[in-house]
Amino acid sequence: VLSLSGGSQTPICDVSLSHELLQKTVSFAHASTSTSSTSSPHHPDAMAAACVAPAASAVTRHQVTGLRASTGRRATTPLTRVIHQKKTNQKLSLATSATATATDAVATVGVGGNPLAGVSLLTVDGEAKAIPFWAEDQTVVVTFLRHFG
Amino acid sequence: VFCWEHAAELAKMKPELDAAGVLLIVVGVGTPDSAKQFAAALPFPEENLFVDPERAAYRALALHGDLDGTEVGAVQVEFI
């Protein structure tokens, strides 16, 4: 079941928060490596998309869920979209394994699968690449530019 | 911050992302040729640069409104 709702007007985000999110992703990737033994091999994937001007960033990694849950802090504005994948019953274990950094710039707006799944992008050589073209447990930062300029 | 500035910042962060095992993907609206020129001009690693000519990914994340000069509407996605 796919449920779509919303429609509130979200201001374009501050690019500094995007960088902050990236830094946290790096910290988180390090932390998740050290705590990987506590994570389920069937962990849910997650995506956090931070819209910034003029670009937008997204982070895919299941532990983002845990970080979000563990900090309990929220951004003052809904800067980021987080879409968590299935297997939500494993969120709690991921939350307890998450450490350190906060994802307070992340405002969770839903639970679900990777919204980019099946979307096809082109390489600079024109080769089509269907998302996901990375390993399931790969941490991915996706940044969206308005244009190449 | 212009797009190229943002991409340049990301390019600077790439070693750190690589070291952390984080895959960086930068997507832009345009053509492969324009992306190639963009990568060469910055410079930015081509392997991390992708084109979304139909804005499919933007629409999937409800970012397309921003590209049209309008505010981005928040969207809630839930898979049950």
Side-chain angles (χ1 to χ4, degrees):
Chain A
V1 177
L2 168 62
S3 171
L4 294 175
S5 62
S8 62
Q9 296 301 303
T10 306
I12 296 174
C13 309
D14 187 337
V15 70
S16 63
L17 288 176
S18 174
H19 290 179
E20 182 186 7
L21 182 61
L22 288 173
Q23 291 290 355
K24 287 170 181 173
T25 303
V26 171
S27 301
F28 166 71
H30 284 304
S32 66
T33 300
S34 62
T35 59
S36 59
S37 61
T38 61
S39 297
S40 165
H42 303 292
H43 51 69
D45 194 6
M47 171 164 292
C51 60
V52 298
S57 297
V59 180
T60 63
R61 183 67 172 182
H62 63 285
Q63 285 93 343
V64 172
T65 305
L67 287 172
R68 184 70 187 86
S70 63
T71 61
R73 290 197 292 160
R74 286 184 177 276
T76 54
T77 54
L79 304 176
T80 305
R81 296 174 183 81
V82 181
I83 299 98
H84 307 296
Q85 207 166 8
K86 299 173 183 176
K87 303 171 185 173
T88 54
N89 58 326
Q90 295 173 21
K91 279 184 183 175
L92 290 178
S93 62
L94 291 170
T96 55
S97 67
T99 58
T101 58
T103 54
D104 50 307
V106 177
T108 303
V109 295
V111 176
N114 185 343
L116 296 179
V119 171
S120 187
L121 302 176
L122 299 178
T123 68
V124 296
D125 294 319
E127 179 189 355
K129 291 266 193 179
I131 294 175
F133 48 85
W134 48 78
E136 185 181 349
D137 60 349
Q138 172 74 59
T139 301
V140 185
V141 173
V142 187
T143 293
F144 296 90
L145 306 176
R146 288 188 181 185
H147 51 73
F148 296 113
Chain B
V1 178
F2 294 105
C3 288
W4 68 266
E5 291 177 303
H6 185 65
E9 288 298 314
L10 291 171
K12 288 179 187 174
M13 291 186 65
K14 190 174 182 303
E16 193 177 357
L17 292 169
D18 288 344
V22 176
L23 174 63
L24 173 64
I25 294 176
V26 174
V27 183
V29 177
T31 65
D33 282 345
S34 62
K36 213 171 187 60
Q37 292 172 13
F38 182 80
L42 276 183
F44 189 88
E46 289 188 353
E47 65 272 20
N48 298 98
L49 195 58
F50 293 85
V51 186
D52 186 8
E54 304 300 326
R55 299 181 177 181
Y58 294 77
R59 285 196 302 272
L61 294 175
L63 297 173
H64 56 289
D66 180 37
L67 294 169
D68 296 332
T70 57
E71 289 187 317
V72 178
V75 63
Q76 184 169 336
V77 183
E78 185 173 3
F79 289 90
I80 302 173

